[in-house]
Amino acid sequence: MPEIEYLDYEAVVERDWAVDDEDLFEKAAAADLEPPEYGSFEANEAEYILEAAEARGHEWPFSCRAGACANCAGIVHDGAVEMDMQQILSDEEVADQGIRLTCVSRPASDEVKLVYNVKHLDSLQDRVIG
């Protein structure tokens, strides 16, 4: 079963870390952050990442659950994630920045490192609902 190691974007910002820092997850582990800021869970390959997080007691942001807003956006830091049809992210955001919508994304590797709650990125603000 794939393991999702997650880090809350707000924790990254609060500590003045860079989301593209190679050792971001090592910093998070060393900082003794606790859920919901940092942790991991196993996900079934058939589960959407958002649904897997919720099934394990996490309360990650979302709105539409259909790939039509940026509320559930995350950045894949390491590993592979397959995203179903989505209507909101540009090819550059997906390919160059690693942004995925967790409501329509499944783990595609044994380990995935994901910064969730990136709806707070300035570039996504016009696509956040609510």
Side-chain angles (χ1 to χ4, degrees):
M1 232 190 259
E3 181 175 351
I4 310 293
E5 186 176 357
Y6 64 86
L7 177 60
D8 186 346
Y9 179 72
E10 289 183 342
V12 173
V13 171
E14 287 172 9
R15 288 161 182 80
D16 274 337
W17 295 339
V19 76
D20 59 353
D21 190 347
E22 276 188 33
D23 62 349
L24 179 63
F25 280 78
E26 289 79 7
K27 286 179 179 179
D32 288 330
L33 301 177
E34 295 191 21
E37 290 185 308
Y38 170 76
S40 65
F41 58 86
E42 288 186 342
N44 184 307
E45 293 148 349
E47 283 180 294
Y48 289 128
I49 294 171
L50 176 62
E51 290 174 351
E54 291 174 329
R56 284 133 189 103
H58 300 285
E59 295 181 14
W60 289 9
F62 70 91
S63 186
C64 73
R65 291 188 184 269
C69 75
N71 290 46
C72 71
I75 295 175
V76 177
H77 199 268
D78 193 25
V81 168
E82 291 183 9
M83 186 167 51
D84 288 353
M85 177 64 95
Q86 59 87 21
Q87 309 161 17
I88 200 78
L89 299 175
S90 70
D91 292 342
E92 293 78 24
E93 288 170 324
V94 174
D96 299 339
Q97 297 174 30
I99 298 176
R100 301 291 188 279
L101 303 176
T102 62
C103 73
V104 293
S105 295
R106 295 180 178 91
S109 61
D110 289 339
E111 295 179 3
V112 173
K113 292 182 180 180
L114 177 79
V115 178
Y116 80 97
N117 200 20
V118 301
K119 68 178 187 172
H120 298 292
L121 287 172
D122 289 341
S123 62
L124 297 178
Q125 288 304 295
D126 62 335
R127 291 167 277 172
V128 171
I129 295 176

